[in-house]
Each structure stands twice: as C-alpha cells, then as structure tokens.
Amino acid sequence: MKSTLQSLISRNKEEEKAYADSRLAEINNPETGTNRRNFLKKTALGGIALGGLMNLSIEDTIAHTTQNVKRSSNPSDLKITDMRYCLTNVMGGTAIIRIDTNQGIYGLGEVRDAADARYALMLKSRILGRNPCNVEMIFKIIKQFGGPARQAGGVCAVEMALWDLCGKAYGVPAWQLLGGRYRDRVRLYADTPEAASPAEQQKLINYRINDQGYTWLKMDISISELKGKAGTVVNSKFWENAKGDLAQWGDQRNMMSYGNTAHPFTQIQITDKGLEELSQIVETIRNMVGYDLPISTDHYGHFDLNNSIRLGKAMEKYRLAWFEDMVPWTYTEQWKTISDALETPTTTGEDIYLLKDFKPLIHARAVDIIHPDLASSGGLLETKRIGDYAEEYGVAMAMHQAGTPVSFMASVHCAAATQNFLALEHHSVDIPWWEDLVKTTDGKKMIEKGYAILPLNSPGLGIELNEDVLKQHLKSTDKTYFAPTNEWNEQRSHDRTYS
C-alpha cells in the first residue's frame, strides 16, 4: 500500500514537472503572444506548478498567485448606500444612474431616452439599505411606480443596475443570471434616418452596410414625405404643426396638435397618389439595398387602421421585415384586423410596461412580432419573461433600443438569453462618440460587423463608464456628474397597494 502511494506521488510529481516545463517553454518561446504569455504567468495552476519548482511552499505559492485577486464583495452582506445620475446628450437627454453599495462595487442603469431622471431618483428612498442581489424582490417593491413608455424609465433603470451589481458580486455575466445564453453575438438592425435626397440616402445606407457591416436596416415611411405634394393626403392642413409640417410629432406641448392625437381620431387619409409617392420611396431604398437584407419600417403618421391596411398592401411587393406601431399598442382588436389583412409581419411593444400588457396581443396573435424596449418593458428579467411567453404562442421577439450603451448592453444580455429573439435596434450608428461612452471590461469591441459581441466572462453588464468621454457629452441643461442626491433619501409615503 505504501509503495503504491509513493508510486502515485512520484508519478504526479513527474507529470507536474512535465506540465510546468511545457508552460515555461511556451512562456519563453518568442512566438508566444503577449496576451497568452501574461495568461500563463498569472493563472493559478501555472503559478502553483512553477512555484513548486522554485521551492516555494504551497501556501506561499497560492498567496503569491492570488495576491491580485479582487475580493470586493460578500454578496450576502451587500447593501445599497446611494443612487446618483448624470444626464447625457444621447437622444436629447438620457440619464445614466449609478447605484453604490457598502462594499465599493456599483451598478449602472439607464432611464429611457428622453425620460426624466427623477423617475429613478424617486425610487432611491425605497431601495436604500436593501441587498441589491435580491433583484426580483426589489423589482416587486418598485414596479408600482412604472407605467407605459418613459414612465417606466426609473423602475427599469434600477432593475438594470441591480443585475449589473449582482453579476459583479457573484463574478458572472448578467446573461448567466438569466439562465444562460443561446448566442455569443446579437444581431443588430440599424435605424436609417430619412435623407434630403436619394444620393444622401444611399450614402447613409452604404455606411451601414459596407463600412459598418449591418445586415438588417430600418426606415421610416412617413407622411411627412408628402409635404407640399398636392393631392396626396386628405385633412392634412388641420393637423400641420406650427411650422406647417405634417410631422410625426407635431407640437407636443399643444394637446390639440397632430402629434398628440391618437391614430384613429385624426381623419388623415392617404390618397392613391400619396401611396404611389410612398411606394416609390420604398422601391428606391429596396433597389439600393437589394433583397438579401431585411428592411423594417416605422413612423408612418397618425392615421387609422383602414389607411394602415391600404399602406400595408401597397408595400407588400417589397417584402418588408415588419410594419411597426401602425396604431397604438392598446388597440389589440385593431392590431388583429391589420395583421390578418396583411402578409407583411406586424409588430408593436416599445411602449408596453410589464408582461401583463403584452399578454392580450400575444394571446390573440394580434401581431407577428413583439417589440419591447427593455428600458420600458420592465428590465432584463421581465423582458426575458415576455420573450419566453411569446415563444409559447409562436410569436418572435425583436427589441427596440434608442439610448446609451448602458441600456444597449443590458438589452444584449437579455437578447442572448432569449431563444425567439430576432434583432436589436441600434439607433446611434451615426454618432461617432456613442460607443466611447463606455469601455468593455474584457477589452473587446462592443459592436463588430453589425453584431453586438456578448461578454462571455465579464461580470454584470460587462462595461464601465469612460468618464473622460462621458463628461464631454453631458446635456447642457444639467452638467452635474453623479452629484449627491441626498434630497431623495427620505421616503415620504406609504406605498402598499392593498389592505
């Protein structure tokens, strides 16, 4: 027995020495890359084996090889101590929040594009002192303060930051906390704005396809394109904004304006001539792009389901990827009527908050694709649940995103963890500094050839703020940078919603 044990020990030493020799040889080989050489030097197993050769005790070897390991978190004792924000200039004003803890780690979230940072700040008093790793419990405490569209911005910002914190605390990526990944890269679709001329439009498209490598585009088919073209729109004059433009948004401060009137109530109609004009625009784009790439569409104008169907049928021959938000998401029966009438897929959802309001659309199969914005739909876990629920009914999921890289990366993690996912919007392709607002913690590119690269090993969302760049792109109306927010520390209401 003793000789057998000695034999095993001797053999293990020989194997260890051979392994250590092979590692030393690779380290000393001039052809070994710098990254690989550093990895070999720093890994614990290699360090222990080499330490043994240098006559270090196993205790000293382990202490030496793990001296730089970050021990920043004991998850069970983690507590939220603060919430602060900065207001970026993305989309006219998009706030990034930072939730701090008693152990020095923090999480990043984002209040949806053009929403008010106070949607998040009002939640600060309700989360202070809580363990951020109890994500679902905290979400259930604060979700009552969310609502459709940008009203959900605060709740979703906090939820994002909690997953970032939880991932950092346990040392795993957010996608892993959602149950694992279905993909290592997330396909993006590039929003392509309207242009003043076909030549300018071609330039925008070439940049996206040839320079950036995008394989999916989205365009607007807006009735604003019909401005000044006689005989194309019925009832346009009454709904023009102060500048005389028949625009998607109109004068939003005037509740009688076109932009603030729901689609069924405008009595705007597109004539046959108007449909011909819009068809020509789509045909021009389709000819520029070809049929290999999907083209999604959005922002048509506020007109009713009858005109939606007429427009949809006029565009059938161009095989568009989808018609988005033709009528408000609340009109499930109208969506069902439109979807049944058209061959082109339909989608809505960027303003829907929580799974419960997606269910009517999904149950009725009123749309072919759901289209949540993670910064409005409830954050990572709720959006994952929305996608999973839709999958059971044979409904696909694409994702809207028009904010900073914080909500973008939160969406990437969620998309990677959801099987029926199609593509994620990237709304800031033409902003040169947008990607530089953050740094990936693994040093890899965030976007490459039309795909977002999923961080496979980076904890949390896998990003840190690039403070020098971020400070250069704060909104002019609020140049504060993660300033104290002590005025939001005190809770002043009894929040329970039942007796």
Side-chain angles (χ1 to χ4, degrees):
M1 184 69 176
K2 185 176 180 180
S3 61
T4 302
L5 181 60
Q6 289 175 336
S7 176
L8 283 172
I9 292 172
S10 176
R11 188 170 65 191
N12 284 340
K13 285 184 176 181
E14 290 175 0
E15 290 176 353
E16 182 179 320
K17 184 179 185 304
Y19 179 69
D21 288 345
S22 69
R23 287 222 163 185
L24 281 171
E26 190 173 358
I27 289 171
N28 294 327
N29 189 337
E31 295 183 1
T32 300
T34 301
N35 290 340
R36 174 65 177 167
R37 182 177 288 110
N38 289 338
F39 170 78
L40 290 169
K41 288 180 179 179
K42 292 178 180 179
T43 50
L45 180 59
I48 291 170
L50 294 174
L53 291 180
M54 293 184 289
N55 298 317
L56 294 176
S57 70
I58 190 67
E59 293 83 1
D60 288 341
T61 301
I62 292 174
H64 174 76
T65 56
T66 62
Q67 62 183 336
N68 294 320
V69 173
K70 188 176 181 182
R71 297 178 178 85
S72 59
S73 176
N74 179 6
S76 63
D77 293 329
L78 202 58
K79 303 292 180 188
I80 294 171
T81 57
D82 204 357
M83 181 202 293
R84 301 187 182 192
Y85 79 97
C86 71
L87 187 61
T88 74
N89 205 30
V90 175
M91 294 298 293
T94 301
I96 294 173
I97 69 164
R98 190 188 73 208
I99 294 180
D100 296 311
T101 67
N102 60 335
Q103 295 178 20
I105 60 173
Y106 63 86
L108 298 174
E110 177 191 307
V111 184
R112 186 180 163 182
D113 58 288
D116 196 315
R118 287 172 290 190
Y119 282 132
L121 292 172
M122 67 170 289
L123 304 175
K124 180 181 178 182
S125 64
R126 294 159 174 90
I127 66 174
L128 285 175
R130 298 189 184 276
N131 188 323
C133 297
N134 293 324
V135 182
E136 188 172 33
M137 183 185 73
I138 294 176
F139 179 71
K140 287 183 176 180
I141 291 170
I142 65 175
K143 74 175 183 179
Q144 63 181 292
F145 300 106
R150 282 145 186 89
Q151 295 175 46
V155 174
C156 298
V158 170
E159 202 264 6
M160 285 182 225
L162 295 180
W163 283 120
D164 191 25
L165 262 168
C166 188
K168 290 174 180 175
Y170 284 98
V172 295
W175 57 260
Q176 187 70 72
L177 296 169
L178 296 178
R181 71 186 192 272
Y182 288 95
R183 54 193 62 86
D184 295 343
R185 302 188 306 158
V186 170
R187 192 177 186 182
L188 305 177
Y189 71 84
D191 208 334
T192 307
E194 297 172 50
S197 67
E200 183 64 26
Q201 193 76 56
Q202 182 74 71
K203 182 179 178 182
L204 290 171
I205 289 172
N206 287 345
Y207 175 69
R208 283 154 173 73
I209 298 175
N210 299 329
D211 296 348
Q212 298 294 311
Y214 285 93
T215 62
W216 192 317
L217 303 179
K218 186 168 82 170
M219 63 176 290
D220 295 349
I221 309 176
S222 173
I223 56 175
S224 64
E225 297 279 2
L226 303 177
K227 176 190 172 185
K229 297 180 179 179
T232 57
V233 180
V234 177
N235 204 36
S236 63
K237 206 69 178 165
F238 185 72
W239 295 103
E240 288 176 354
N241 65 14
K243 296 180 180 179
D245 295 333
L246 187 63
Q248 169 76 6
W249 309 117
D251 181 2
Q252 295 182 72
R253 295 184 181 274
N254 176 8
M255 288 309 297
M256 295 183 67
S257 79
Y258 162 66
N260 284 314
T261 304
H263 303 54
F265 314 127
T266 67
Q267 259 306 295
I268 289 176
Q269 298 184 64
I270 308 173
T271 67
D272 288 347
K273 180 180 178 182
L275 291 175
E276 290 173 5
E277 292 278 354
L278 293 175
S279 295
Q280 186 57 56
I281 292 171
V282 176
E283 183 168 332
T284 299
I285 300 300
R286 180 51 92 185
N287 288 339
M288 290 178 182
V289 172
Y291 279 87
D292 288 337
L293 271 66
I295 302 176
S296 301
T297 62
D298 190 15
H299 292 319
Y300 317 97
H302 289 190
F303 45 76
D304 63 13
L305 73 88
N306 301 296
N307 281 270
S308 297
I309 292 171
R310 291 180 65 242
L311 176 64
K313 288 185 174 179
M315 303 297 166
E316 294 279 27
K317 60 184 176 182
Y318 303 115
R319 307 318 305 165
L320 298 172
W322 68 59
F323 288 114
E324 178 181 337
D325 292 334
M326 300 192 87
V327 295
W329 64 267
T330 51
Y331 299 125
T332 301
E333 291 184 3
Q334 291 194 24
W335 269 112
K336 176 70 171 170
T337 300
I338 293 170
S339 296
D340 287 347
L342 300 179
E343 295 178 6
T344 302
T346 56
T347 186
T348 192
E350 69 180 72
D351 295 320
I352 301 179
Y353 178 54
L354 304 180
L355 171 59
K356 68 180 180 62
D357 279 342
F358 276 93
K359 283 184 176 180
L361 289 163
I362 295 169
H363 289 169
R365 292 181 177 80
V367 291
D368 301 289
I369 302 164
I370 55 166
H371 194 235
D373 187 314
L374 182 143
S376 281
S377 55
L380 284 82
L381 181 57
E382 187 74 0
T383 307
K384 157 75 171 164
R385 286 172 171 161
I386 291 165
D388 289 347
Y389 193 87
E391 183 182 3
E392 293 184 26
Y393 287 79
V395 176
M397 183 176 82
M399 295 177 71
H400 178 272
Q401 192 280 332
T404 79
V406 175
S407 68
F408 177 84
M409 286 307 298
S411 299
V412 167
H413 283 268
C414 181
T418 310
Q419 187 169 19
N420 60 333
F421 165 81
L422 293 175
L424 168 67
E425 180 173 18
H426 181 19
H427 201 279
S428 301
V429 179
D430 298 307
I431 302 177
W433 45 264
W434 184 87
E435 289 185 45
D436 294 330
L437 293 174
V438 302
K439 296 176 283 189
T440 59
T441 54
D442 63 6
K444 295 180 180 178
K445 289 184 177 180
M446 188 164 59
I447 298 172
E448 188 172 28
K449 295 183 179 179
Y451 284 80
I453 308 304
L454 183 69
L456 297 182
N457 299 300
S458 301
L461 298 181
I463 53 173
E464 299 291 347
L465 298 178
N466 189 347
E467 297 198 21
D468 291 339
V469 176
L470 186 57
K471 288 175 181 178
Q472 295 172 24
H473 298 287
L474 299 175
K475 189 169 173 61
S476 59
T477 56
D478 187 348
K479 290 285 191 177
T480 61
Y481 187 77
F482 296 110
T485 55
N486 296 333
E487 66 272 24
W488 296 96
N489 289 357
E490 182 182 349
Q491 186 170 340
R492 299 180 177 88
S493 69
H494 177 60
D495 295 338
R496 190 164 137 175
T497 58
Y498 55 90
S499 297

